[in-house]
Amino acid sequence: MAEFCLECLNRINETKEPAIKYIMSEELNLCEGCGQWKRTVSMYRLSYWLWKLRFIIAPFKFIGIAIYITIKLPWVLWQVYRERKNKKDIQ
């Protein structure tokens, strides 16, 4: 895998991406673009856009959790009721 520093990666792709969009290496590696020892880009940060849109996504998450609890709670209560009823029938 090719290892490039952020500056060389931006120069190759002709972009101006910030460092927050990438996960950088902890140690210094030899950049294959400029030949200097720098922290290189390890991978693209997949959750970058989720982090940017977290305030838009959060209400949908809360609504989804509320719907899940409203559906799941009666089902769990029904299962508990059925188990207790089966125990009484057996005895």
Side-chain angles (χ1 to χ4, degrees):
M1 184 175 115
E3 295 179 348
F4 293 102
C5 64
L6 184 62
E7 292 83 23
C8 291
L9 188 68
N10 282 333
R11 188 180 70 241
I12 291 169
N13 294 334
E14 297 177 357
T15 60
K16 293 185 179 179
E17 301 289 343
I20 195 170
K21 289 186 86 172
Y22 299 99
I23 297 175
M24 305 297 283
S25 64
E26 294 292 325
E27 67 281 341
L28 297 177
N29 293 324
L30 184 63
C31 173
E32 295 180 15
C34 60
Q36 297 178 0
W37 289 92
K38 295 183 179 180
R39 291 181 64 201
T40 57
V41 175
S42 295
M43 66 176 17
Y44 183 72
R45 189 179 302 270
L46 296 177
S47 61
Y48 176 74
W49 290 108
L50 292 176
W51 180 78
K52 288 288 246 187
L53 301 173
R54 68 187 180 274
F55 296 115
I56 296 171
I57 295 172
F60 295 108
K61 279 186 177 179
F62 293 134
I63 291 170
I65 290 170
I67 290 171
Y68 177 76
I69 289 172
T70 357
I71 292 171
K72 190 71 169 182
L73 186 62
W75 183 81
V76 169
L77 293 175
W78 172 252
Q79 293 296 324
V80 170
Y81 169 75
R82 225 171 70 186
E83 286 294 320
R84 287 188 179 183
K85 185 178 177 186
N86 285 341
K87 283 183 182 178
K88 286 181 183 178
D89 289 343
I90 293 173
Q91 293 175 354

